[in-house]
């Protein structure tokens, strides 16, 4: 791949010069990926499209380029990794998937697509391998096998992720726009592949690079309009990924919105035609007058407000909120009001309707339009669900009736019922389910509009709210009595349909199934509780096994990811130290859905055991004959059932749980 050809008389001729040497009109030594001249001048060496073997995709030498002298700085373009070139067919296929599935939503359309597709500049190898590793997750196993020789799409993704990972490690201290974009793409790839906190860490690298380059300020006046907008959108993509990854992994946010002083993304026409555009920043716009903004700018603003509400949920919820939700001085009240004003002020063409959806879809913005409304509705129920009062067992309140169990940080009773907050929460959860039901009943293209991490998070919260309504407000005479449980199952089934490609969908499904069972156990009558225990988790609607496809079972990228990062008492709260109010159990089941399966199941086991202790002190077992020995009971049951005889049926049920029947503990 070296572009130097040895001549017969011992001389050397360079077939092609790098872009820097061509611009300076100096002789280029020709070493790739970084020539000696660029290494000596400490410049990033870039190469144009070449007609030599490998052509446009001849990106790397197999060996790193040596520095020109012992005192010279390491080459910025040198990566100590041997890379086999992806075929042109694979690159085109993966780029098509990337632009169709992820570019507009998660990455704020930060690539100037006409230039990218026209190949007017070389795709940096780090960015190229990151795109392939993300897009390959959406490839079917049959296609990966027949076209590219991999057993599964996940294996193809992992193959190129390992190479992209080496690029990221080699360039972690080289802030460039391309490196920022590539690290953000790796962050989403790791989020969807459910590899622990790596998504948060890759996003952090990209954010720090962006901040190092001060992309959050309008310091790019010397650049052409296209480059200006690429830099702005790249920084906005940092903010979008920061909020998304923080919520999904339950980790702190990295970017403060006050540091983002660039204008919102410009209209797509201005970006495509490389026209200069002057627009408002997020601090300049009036949330009551967004009429002059285009869809992408409205989406970015919506995610900004959404991030403020999800931050409340991630950082302790009402257990840490200093103000009541109705206090005008509180963050909850202010951000909730801000989103409601923003939603009402959206122009008619951006309000949700089936007609508006079809129109945006015809413009290629259907997924962005759907996701924006999912984000808006999720904002108005993700933190509101914290204030849905649970019906705890009286025995729990009698035994543990302390201030910690009865009141939140603001001094509001956990049993306090605010009808306005409840109605807002239920309305927006129903709106999420309504949009999902409409698209799920449509074509394959319509169903693809739902497939994003933002929408998955919204569906998770909506299902939780629907379950609360189903079990806390049972009314057998209500004609809509089954609506809530059907809506919750709809969310579950949609997320299940993504499991083949996204391992995070396995984790989301598992957490939702646990939540279904936790509600069923907590609110079930005697007969319902016995049936829930005896069904051995075989109900296809709410407890289908989440065991992954064997081809997806153990990715090298996730091997060992969870063992040393999060464990009880070190990176994850010890379940025995969690308050055993139903509020806390429900919250801790939903707050970290992407944690390891073993960790979640261990916590669920503690929650169920303490739940049974309190339920055994009530009338749940009235009318049941007791004729079995206590020797077969678990220690938790012995404590809870002191002085009470137990039936063989109950012993069998607990044995089933212990041996892996209900949750495969």
């Amino acid at each position: 791949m070296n572009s130097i050809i040895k001549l017969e008389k011992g001389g050397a001729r360079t077939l092609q010069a790098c872009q820097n040497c061509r611009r300076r009109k100096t002789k280029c030594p020709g070493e790739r990926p970084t020539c000696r001249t660029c290494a000596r001048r400490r410049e990033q060496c870039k190469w144009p499209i070449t007609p030599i073997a490998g052509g446009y995709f001849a990106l790397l030498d197999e060996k790193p380029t040596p520095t020109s002298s012992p005192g010279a700085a390491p080459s910025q373009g040198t990566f100590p990794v041997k890379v086999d070139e992806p075929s042109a067919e694979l690159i085109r296929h993966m780029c098509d998937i990337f632009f169709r599935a992820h570019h507009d939503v998660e990455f704020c359309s930060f690539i100037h697509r006409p230039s990218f597709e026209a190949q007017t500049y070389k795709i940096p190898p780090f960015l190229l391998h990151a795109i392939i590793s993300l897009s390959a997750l959406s490839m079917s196993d049959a296609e990966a096998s027949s076209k590219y020789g991999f057993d599964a799409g996940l294996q193809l993704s992992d193959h190129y992720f390992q190479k992209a990972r080496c690029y990221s490690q080699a360039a972690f201290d080289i802030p460039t726009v391309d490196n920022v974009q590539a690290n953000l793409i790796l962050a989403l790839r790791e989020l969807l592949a459910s590899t622990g906190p790596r998504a948060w860490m890759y996003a952090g690298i990209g954010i720090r690079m962006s901040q190092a380059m001060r992309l959050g300020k309008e310091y790019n006046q010397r650049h052409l309009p296209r480059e200006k907008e690429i830099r702005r959108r790249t920084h906005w993509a940092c903010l979008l990924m920061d909020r998304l990854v923080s919520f999904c992994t339950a980790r702190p946010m990295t970017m403060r919105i006050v540091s983002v002083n660039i204008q919102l993304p410009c209209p797509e026409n201005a970006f495509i035609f490389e026209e200069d555009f002057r627009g408002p920043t997020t601090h300049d716009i009036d949330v009551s007058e967004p009429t002059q903004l285009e869809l992408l700018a409205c989406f970015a603003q919506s995610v900004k407000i959404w991030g403020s509400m999800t931050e409340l949920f991630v950082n302790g919820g009402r257990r840490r909120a200093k103000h009541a939700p109705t206090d005008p001085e509180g963050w909850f009240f202010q951000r909730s009001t801000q989103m409601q004003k923003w939603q009402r002020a959206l122009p008619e063409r951006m309000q949700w309707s089936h007609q508006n959806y079809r129109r945006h879809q015809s413009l290629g913005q259907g997924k962005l339009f759907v996701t924006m409304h999912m984000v808006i509705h999720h904002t108005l129920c993700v933190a509101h669900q914290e204030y849905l009062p649970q019906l705890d067992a009286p025995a729990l309140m009698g035994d543990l009736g302390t201030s910690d169990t009865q009141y939140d940080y603001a001094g509001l009773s956990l049993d306090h019922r605010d009808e306005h907050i409840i109605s807002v929460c239920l309305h927006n959860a129903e709106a999420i389910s309504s949009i999902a039901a409409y698209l799920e009943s449509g074509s394959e293209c319509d169903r693809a509009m739902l497939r994003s991490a933002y929408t998955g998070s919204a569906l998770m919260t909506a299902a939780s709210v629907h379950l609360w309504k189903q079990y806390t407000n049972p009314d057998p005479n209500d004609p809509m009595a089954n609506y809530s449980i059907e809506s919750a199952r709809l969310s579950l089934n949609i997320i299940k349909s993504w499991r083949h490609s996204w391992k995070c969908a396995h984790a989301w499904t598992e957490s939702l199934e646990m939540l279904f069972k936790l509600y069923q156990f907590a609110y079930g009558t005697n007969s319902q509780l016995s049936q829930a225990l005896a069904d051995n988790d075989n109900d296809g609607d709410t407890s289908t096994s989440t065991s992954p496809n064997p081809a997806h079972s153990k990715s090298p990228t996730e091997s060992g990811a969870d063992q040393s990062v999060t464990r009880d008492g070190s990176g994850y709260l010890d379940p025995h130290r969690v308050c055993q109010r139903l509020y806390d159990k429900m919250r801790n089941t939903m707050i970290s859905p992407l944690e390891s399966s073993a960790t979640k199941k261990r916590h669920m086991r503690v929650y169920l055991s303490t739940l049974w202790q309190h339920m055994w002190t009530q009338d749940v077992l009235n009318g049941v004959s007791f004729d079995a020995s206590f020797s077969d009971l678990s220690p938790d049951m012995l404590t809870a059932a002191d002085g009470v005889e137990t039936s063989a049926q109950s012993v069998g049920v607990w044995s089933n749980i212990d041996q892996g029947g209900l949750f495969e503990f």
Side-chain angles (χ1 to χ4, degrees):
M1 289 180 58
N2 200 309
S3 59
I4 299 176
I5 292 183
K6 298 293 183 180
L7 302 180
E8 293 182 359
K9 295 184 178 181
R13 178 171 63 87
T14 302
L15 282 178
Q16 189 171 47
C18 70
Q19 291 180 348
N20 293 337
C21 291
R22 285 168 62 89
R23 186 179 67 252
R24 291 191 297 264
K25 296 184 179 180
T26 58
K27 180 176 176 59
C28 180
E31 298 92 349
R32 296 197 181 202
T34 303
C35 70
R36 291 194 302 273
T37 302
C38 289
R40 184 172 63 252
R41 298 171 70 94
R42 301 186 181 183
E43 296 178 343
Q44 184 175 9
C45 192
K46 295 184 178 181
W47 292 86
I49 303 171
T50 69
I52 62 175
Y56 175 73
F57 304 111
L59 303 177
L60 280 182
D61 275 330
E62 294 185 358
K63 298 180 180 180
T65 304
T67 55
S68 58
S69 65
S75 166
Q76 291 187 356
T78 299
F79 300 100
V81 57
K82 181 177 179 179
V83 176
D84 55 328
E85 296 177 33
S87 66
E89 178 189 3
L90 175 64
I91 292 172
R92 284 192 295 269
H93 189 183
M94 295 297 99
C95 288
D96 286 343
I97 293 175
F98 174 74
F99 284 115
R100 183 174 67 252
H102 302 294
H103 182 237
D104 295 348
V105 175
E106 289 91 350
F107 302 117
C108 204
S109 298
F110 59 24
I111 292 177
H112 187 256
R113 191 169 180 178
S115 301
F116 188 91
E117 293 182 337
Q119 302 179 357
T120 54
Y121 62 89
K122 181 184 66 177
I123 303 178
F126 182 15
L127 180 61
L128 174 63
H129 285 76
I131 289 175
I132 295 175
S133 69
L134 172 61
S135 299
L137 292 176
S138 300
M139 183 180 294
S140 67
D141 295 347
E143 189 175 23
S145 176
S146 61
K147 289 187 176 181
Y148 307 112
F150 288 84
D151 292 338
L154 181 62
Q155 292 183 2
L156 174 62
S157 172
D158 190 71
H159 176 76
Y160 284 97
F161 169 76
Q162 295 294 348
K163 303 177 186 304
R165 185 183 187 185
C166 291
Y167 285 119
S168 181
Q169 292 172 346
F172 79 96
D173 58 350
I174 306 174
T176 66
V177 172
D178 296 329
N179 288 345
V180 174
Q181 294 175 345
N183 276 297
L184 294 181
I185 293 172
L186 288 187
L188 182 60
R189 190 269 175 192
E190 292 295 88
L191 179 66
L192 300 181
S194 191
T195 55
R198 286 180 181 167
W200 185 73
M201 291 189 282
Y202 278 115
I205 295 173
I207 290 167
R208 283 290 181 257
M209 285 186 175
S210 180
Q211 292 172 331
M213 299 173 67
R214 292 194 173 95
L215 297 186
K217 299 184 182 296
E218 294 287 350
Y219 293 158
N220 52 23
Q221 290 82 1
R222 295 180 59 185
H223 294 285
L224 296 174
R226 182 181 73 191
E227 183 63 22
K228 287 181 183 180
E229 187 62 19
I230 288 174
R231 287 169 170 255
R232 293 187 189 111
R233 292 188 177 202
T234 298
H235 197 69
W236 275 110
C238 288
L239 185 135
L240 300 185
M241 284 301 298
D242 181 44
R243 271 52 181 163
L244 176 62
V245 171
S246 170
F247 176 71
C248 291
T249 64
R251 298 303 195 280
M253 292 181 182
T254 303
M255 294 181 67
R256 299 175 60 202
I257 194 62
V258 70
S259 67
V260 182
N261 295 306
I262 52 174
Q263 68 184 43
L264 287 158
C266 73
E268 202 62 23
N269 287 344
F271 185 38
I272 290 175
F273 290 103
E274 305 180 38
E275 300 171 352
D276 209 352
F277 180 84
R278 298 292 297 274
T281 69
T282 189
H283 306 295
D284 297 334
I285 65 172
D286 184 348
V287 296
S288 62
E289 297 181 358
T291 55
Q292 302 303 315
L293 298 178
E294 295 297 324
L295 182 60
L296 185 59
C298 288
F299 174 70
Q301 178 70 7
S302 299
V303 173
K304 170 207 159 186
I305 305 173
W306 174 79
S308 299
M309 294 299 283
T310 59
E311 187 175 22
L312 289 176
F313 181 71
V314 170
N315 293 337
R318 67 185 298 184
R319 288 291 194 189
R320 300 286 297 171
K322 296 181 179 179
H323 299 87
T326 55
D327 188 343
E329 299 296 322
W331 192 259
F332 178 99
F333 181 89
Q334 293 175 359
R335 291 300 176 262
S336 179
T337 302
Q338 184 182 21
M339 179 54 87
Q340 289 173 327
K341 289 176 61 178
W342 172 256
Q343 182 184 26
R344 289 192 298 267
L346 286 173
E348 183 63 29
R349 70 182 187 278
M350 291 190 192
Q351 296 289 343
W352 172 260
S353 70
H354 298 170
Q355 185 180 45
N356 282 346
Y357 161 67
R358 294 299 176 189
R359 289 172 175 174
H360 281 90
Q361 188 183 38
S362 69
L363 296 173
Q365 295 182 318
K367 188 168 188 177
L368 186 62
F369 181 72
V370 169
T371 308
M372 182 184 75
H373 283 279
M374 287 293 188
V375 164
I376 289 173
H377 291 301
H378 193 207
T379 304
L380 296 173
C381 62
V382 63
H384 289 67
Q385 69 175 319
E386 293 277 288
Y387 295 93
L388 299 177
Q390 299 288 350
L391 305 179
D392 283 286
L396 174 63
M397 299 306 299
D399 295 342
L400 302 175
T402 65
S403 59
D404 290 340
T405 62
Q406 295 190 44
Y407 302 99
D408 61 19
Y409 193 68
L412 192 67
S413 170
L414 293 179
D415 298 321
H416 176 72
R417 188 180 182 94
D418 188 303
E419 295 299 336
H420 175 70
I421 292 177
I422 292 174
S423 65
V424 170
C425 185
L426 292 176
H427 171 76
N428 285 278
E430 290 168 0
I432 291 171
S433 298
S434 176
I435 295 173
Y438 172 72
L439 296 174
E440 185 68 9
S441 64
S443 65
E444 183 63 32
C445 181
D446 292 328
R447 289 190 288 274
M449 299 296 105
L450 289 170
R451 189 166 167 155
S452 77
Y454 287 106
T455 298
S457 300
L459 291 172
M460 290 278 290
T461 298
S464 175
V465 174
H466 287 309
L467 286 173
W468 176 86
K469 182 180 180 182
Q470 177 72 22
Y471 283 97
T472 60
N473 297 280
D475 184 0
N477 298 320
D478 185 354
M480 300 294 289
N482 293 325
Y483 171 78
S484 295
I485 195 67
E486 290 172 356
S487 297
R489 286 172 176 168
L490 172 67
S491 294
L492 178 62
N493 290 332
I494 291 174
I495 294 174
K496 278 184 179 180
S497 69
W498 304 342
R499 291 184 302 171
H500 177 78
S501 301
W502 293 358
K503 291 183 73 66
C504 71
H506 285 280
W508 286 338
T509 299
E510 186 177 59
S511 292
L512 273 183
E513 289 174 347
M514 289 180 174
L515 194 68
F516 269 81
K517 290 300 182 184
L518 189 54
Y519 267 105
Q520 190 174 12
F521 271 57
Y523 290 96
T525 63
N526 184 12
S527 58
Q528 290 173 330
L529 189 56
S530 299
Q531 179 61 36
L533 286 166
D535 67 7
N536 197 25
D537 205 23
N538 289 326
D539 184 354
D541 289 330
T542 61
S543 53
T544 299
S545 173
T546 58
S547 299
N549 185 304
H552 297 174
S553 58
K554 199 64 174 179
S555 167
T557 62
E558 69 176 34
S559 179
D562 295 324
Q563 283 83 355
S564 60
V565 177
T566 57
R567 58 181 62 175
D568 294 348
S570 177
Y572 205 82
L573 185 64
D574 185 341
H576 295 282
R577 298 179 65 87
V578 174
C579 177
Q580 296 303 309
R581 285 291 297 263
L582 278 178
Y583 159 79
D584 299 282
K585 293 178 181 180
M586 304 299 182
R587 170 183 166 78
N588 283 280
T589 301
M590 294 295 292
I591 190 63
S592 301
L594 299 187
E595 294 294 341
S596 70
S597 177
T599 297
K600 291 189 297 183
K601 290 178 180 179
R602 185 168 60 253
H603 283 226
M604 181 59 64
R605 187 172 188 174
V606 173
Y607 300 157
L608 292 178
S609 66
T610 55
L611 180 66
W612 264 89
Q613 290 178 19
H614 301 299
M615 298 190 83
W616 272 60
T617 65
Q618 302 176 73
D619 297 327
V620 176
L621 300 177
N622 285 349
V624 178
S625 61
F626 303 102
D627 55 10
S629 169
F630 280 99
S631 61
D632 295 325
L633 289 176
S634 69
D636 287 329
M637 289 189 68
L638 288 172
T639 301
D642 187 21
V644 180
E645 294 179 272
T646 178
S647 68
Q649 179 185 7
S650 299
V651 173
V653 166
W654 270 100
S655 176
N656 185 31
I657 294 178
D658 263 351
Q659 294 175 12
L662 189 58
F663 289 103
E664 300 180 1
F665 289 138

